[in-house]
Amino acid sequence: MSDGIFIGLGAPGKDGGIPQTLDLRRANRHGLIAGATGTGKTVTLQGIVESFSARGVPVFLADVKGDLSGISMAGSPTAKNADKLVARAKEIGIDNYSYADNPAIFWDLYGEQGHPIRTTVSEMGPLLLARLMGLNETQEGVLSIAFKYADEEGLLLLDLGDLQSMLAYCAENADELSTRYGNVTKASVGAIQRQLLQLESQGGAHFFGEPALDIHDFLKADDRGRGYVNVLAADKLMQSPKLYATFLLWLLSELFETLPEVGDPEKPVLVFFFDEAHLLFEDAPGALTDKIEQVVRLIRSKGVGVYFVTQNPIDIPEDVAGQLGNRVQHALRAFTPRDQKAIKAAAETFRVNPDLDVETAVTELKIGEALVSLLQEDGSPGIVQRTLIAPPRSRLGPVDAKERAIIQCISPCAGKYDEAIDRESAEEILAARGQAAAAAVQAAKAKEASDKAAATQAKLEAKQREAELREQAKRDAVAAREAEKPSSLDRAVQSATRSAASSVGRQVANELGRAVFGGSSRRSSGGLAGQLVRGILGSLFK
């Protein structure tokens, strides 16, 4: 097929061999590249990615070991094993083999080896977050309430700090929210917060924030019409399997929700390659595995192909593996019962080839050989063939720091995502509300204390005024009594007046007595009548 991707030459010893070609119109039916360590999976992956890019199909791949970054540079005739690549090309009939680079964009969730990839908590949504954290139905309900309240109140949930603040608010106001939305318990909120802390400890703080990734930046082509190869630096990310699963599932979900339905296009809109795919499923909650299976099954109609790369085909859950139509199986080793089970499982998944004992062949494959079964034009699986894999044309090995920096500088996304934006969101708004409430409480307490102090002071002043009034009244009373008493001069005058009156009275009395009663003065003055007259006159002159 001229419009297909040449994978390699199948059954090379039979009539010159049978070309194994991946039909671009069936490339969105997903695939699997499996095989033990050192059997050539990465080289096969690199060659297929190059072919997709050359045909204008953008690619996303997770670079787990760090060596796939070399896809951005052309190979070299002086490179290690260059002679083997040339010999393989000649062996399988590639006459125009030459070295070539590929347009690439480097990405890194940590922002160290590529453009940062971020999304907001709101875009992730409560359902997907609940599945990623393995929450039960009650906890998932509480998380949904937190999202709903934030939406109604206009509180942006951008990063994990926003979500933690929102959950803390829900715990503090559990009674009010329970009345409005349904049961909210502090125990459920605490369980969610603990799961978020685990996600944050694995680097989740780097993933959630702004500017959020525009998914269309993964769908770019260069000026020559070649699809960009989006290389995710995942060597550090592999140490945080929960974050890795979070990112990949979000990315698939975002594509599914964003891209329109296209059915089976002439070529895929985008192709994903998930290296070390077993990390996506190890210790994953059942709900998460179900979600991955659902997205993989449905995203095909969006024109997106998903290819899992793993050591053992049984690493992929059966429900997911059943969606993988294109298969490249490198050698497996039968060292353990699990290995033997994997060999049997691999053999049973291929369309039977009467000329090939698959169970035996899969243990005998050399480096660069694989059992290949690809979907045919009518959608049916092709007969499995032992195949010599075509060599890649780009560098086998990583780029150095200088080369990576140059590629970053000429990236079509340069400067768009490199600086984080921290705008006002739920964390800041709730913190401001809390500070305002605390300030109001403090002001109320201060006013209460001030009012109490003022009342105490007023009471004290009233008592002081009352005491002063009492004291003043006493002084006024004393003054009034003193004012009623005669002065010294008055007493002297009164005394003189009494003395004078007494003297005059005696004289008058004496005279009257003599006049009335006659006789000598001594007898008259000492008589009874004289005394009576003196008494009356004395009283008159007092």
Side-chain angles (χ1 to χ4, degrees):
M1 303 175 193
S2 59
D3 60 346
I5 292 176
F6 179 62
I7 303 296
L9 189 65
K14 182 179 180 181
D15 301 327
I18 304 171
Q20 296 297 299
T21 305
L22 176 61
D23 188 348
L24 283 177
R25 289 169 296 182
R26 298 290 176 263
N28 64 327
R29 300 297 181 93
H30 313 315
L32 173 68
I33 301 174
T37 300
T39 57
K41 295 192 305 298
T42 300
V43 176
T44 299
L45 164 62
Q46 191 162 328
I48 295 175
V49 169
E50 288 177 358
S51 298
F52 273 121
S53 175
R55 287 159 178 77
V57 179
V59 174
F60 173 90
L61 59 89
D63 185 11
V64 175
K65 297 184 288 290
D67 51 0
L68 285 173
S69 59
I71 203 169
S72 61
M73 307 297 293
S76 169
T78 60
K80 180 181 179 181
N81 297 325
D83 55 339
K84 295 182 180 179
L85 299 178
V86 173
R88 171 57 60 84
K90 183 177 180 180
E91 183 179 3
I92 61 178
I94 300 178
D95 299 326
N96 60 345
Y97 180 75
S98 61
Y99 298 108
D101 62 359
N102 301 276
I105 304 175
F106 292 138
W107 302 91
D108 184 359
L109 262 67
Y110 300 98
E112 298 172 354
Q113 301 182 66
H115 303 304
I117 296 179
R118 305 182 187 90
T119 188
T120 65
V121 171
S122 294
E123 289 178 349
M124 178 71 75
L127 297 180
L128 187 53
L129 270 175
R131 285 178 170 82
L132 290 169
M133 294 188 291
L135 303 183
N136 59 37
E137 291 184 4
T138 301
Q139 294 161 355
E140 182 178 341
V142 171
L143 185 62
S144 297
I145 289 173
F147 271 78
K148 182 174 180 59
Y149 180 80
D151 183 58
E152 291 180 353
E153 294 293 317
L155 302 173
L156 297 176
L157 298 178
L158 303 179
D159 53 30
L160 292 182
D162 291 326
L163 185 54
Q164 287 282 21
S165 296
M166 191 70 252
L167 289 169
Y169 178 88
C170 290
E172 293 171 0
N173 300 271
D175 293 339
E176 177 186 346
L177 293 176
S178 295
T179 302
R180 185 173 174 183
Y181 299 103
N183 192 30
V184 176
T185 65
K186 293 184 178 180
S188 294
V189 172
I192 299 171
Q193 289 178 315
R194 288 191 294 273
Q195 291 297 324
L196 283 178
L197 287 175
Q198 289 185 15
L199 184 59
E200 187 173 3
S201 68
Q202 293 192 14
H206 297 280
F207 180 47
F208 292 99
E210 287 187 317
L213 175 71
D214 180 356
I215 206 68
H216 293 92
D217 284 336
F218 279 176
L219 309 178
K220 294 181 179 295
D222 69 356
D223 53 3
R224 293 167 53 185
R226 299 179 299 172
Y228 270 97
V229 180
N230 298 277
V231 182
L232 174 69
D235 49 344
K236 182 177 179 181
L237 185 59
M238 288 302 96
Q239 302 171 20
S240 305
K242 179 170 286 191
L243 181 59
Y244 182 51
T246 299
F247 164 70
L248 294 182
L249 184 54
W250 164 79
L251 198 52
L252 288 174
S253 299
E254 189 72 9
L255 284 166
F256 177 74
E257 294 174 2
T258 303
L259 297 179
E261 291 279 343
V262 294
D264 289 322
E266 290 298 313
K267 62 182 180 181
V269 175
L270 178 69
V271 176
F272 274 84
F273 288 89
F274 292 157
D275 200 2
E276 300 296 334
H278 64 280
L279 296 176
L280 190 61
F281 302 103
E282 281 184 354
D283 301 323
L288 176 58
T289 302
D290 293 342
K291 181 65 176 179
I292 295 174
E293 187 271 333
Q294 180 188 30
V295 172
V296 170
R297 176 166 46 84
L298 297 176
I299 204 171
R300 176 197 62 77
S301 62
K302 305 285 187 173
V304 177
V306 180
Y307 288 71
F308 294 98
V309 184
T310 188
Q311 295 184 14
N312 201 317
I314 63 175
D315 292 336
I316 310 299
E318 290 185 3
D319 290 340
V320 177
Q323 306 295 324
L324 311 180
N326 301 292
R327 294 173 176 260
V328 178
Q329 177 65 62
H330 285 270
L332 292 173
R333 308 306 180 200
F335 297 137
T336 67
R338 187 173 186 273
D339 294 336
Q340 294 171 359
K341 180 181 178 181
I343 291 171
K344 185 176 181 180
E348 292 175 348
T349 57
F350 288 117
R351 182 177 172 182
V352 176
N353 183 343
D355 298 328
L356 181 65
D357 182 352
V358 173
E359 287 195 40
T360 300
V362 76
T363 62
E364 297 176 347
L365 295 171
K366 301 175 184 178
I367 296 175
E369 276 190 308
L371 300 177
V372 177
S373 175
L374 306 171
L375 294 179
Q376 301 180 91
E377 188 174 0
D378 61 0
S380 63
I383 296 175
V384 60
Q385 299 287 349
R386 184 167 181 167
T387 303
L388 296 176
I389 302 298
R393 300 170 184 266
S394 57
R395 179 189 297 177
L396 295 178
V399 297
D400 58 32
K402 182 178 180 181
E403 292 169 332
R404 185 181 292 273
I406 292 173
I407 294 172
Q408 283 291 92
C409 288
I410 63 175
S411 165
C413 298
K416 184 174 181 179
Y417 300 106
D418 299 326
E419 295 296 329
I421 299 174
D422 186 14
R423 57 179 171 141
E424 187 179 61
S425 52
E427 184 175 14
E428 291 78 14
I429 293 174
L430 290 174
R433 287 184 183 179
Q435 291 173 358
V441 171
Q442 188 65 29
K445 289 182 178 180
K447 186 177 184 304
E448 182 181 356
S450 177
D451 292 344
K452 186 176 181 179
T456 302
Q457 182 65 25
K459 187 176 181 180
L460 179 62
E461 291 176 353
K463 287 183 178 180
Q464 290 176 345
R465 286 196 299 271
E466 184 180 354
E468 290 175 356
L469 290 173
R470 286 198 301 268
E471 189 64 29
Q472 183 64 40
K474 289 180 180 179
R475 289 196 297 269
D476 291 346
V478 171
R481 288 195 298 273
E482 291 295 327
E484 291 177 357
K485 294 178 181 180
S487 64
S488 300
L489 179 59
D490 291 339
R491 288 194 298 272
V493 171
Q494 290 176 2
S495 177
T497 301
R498 285 195 296 270
S499 298
S502 176
S503 176
V504 172
R506 285 194 298 273
Q507 291 177 7
V508 173
N510 290 334
E511 290 301 326
L512 287 175
R514 284 194 294 269
V516 176
F517 300 102
S520 64
S521 58
R522 180 181 299 272
R523 199 172 77 185
S524 301
S525 61
L528 178 61
Q531 293 178 0
L532 177 61
V533 172
R534 283 195 299 272
I536 295 171
L537 290 175
S539 300
L540 293 174
F541 285 100
K542 285 184 179 180

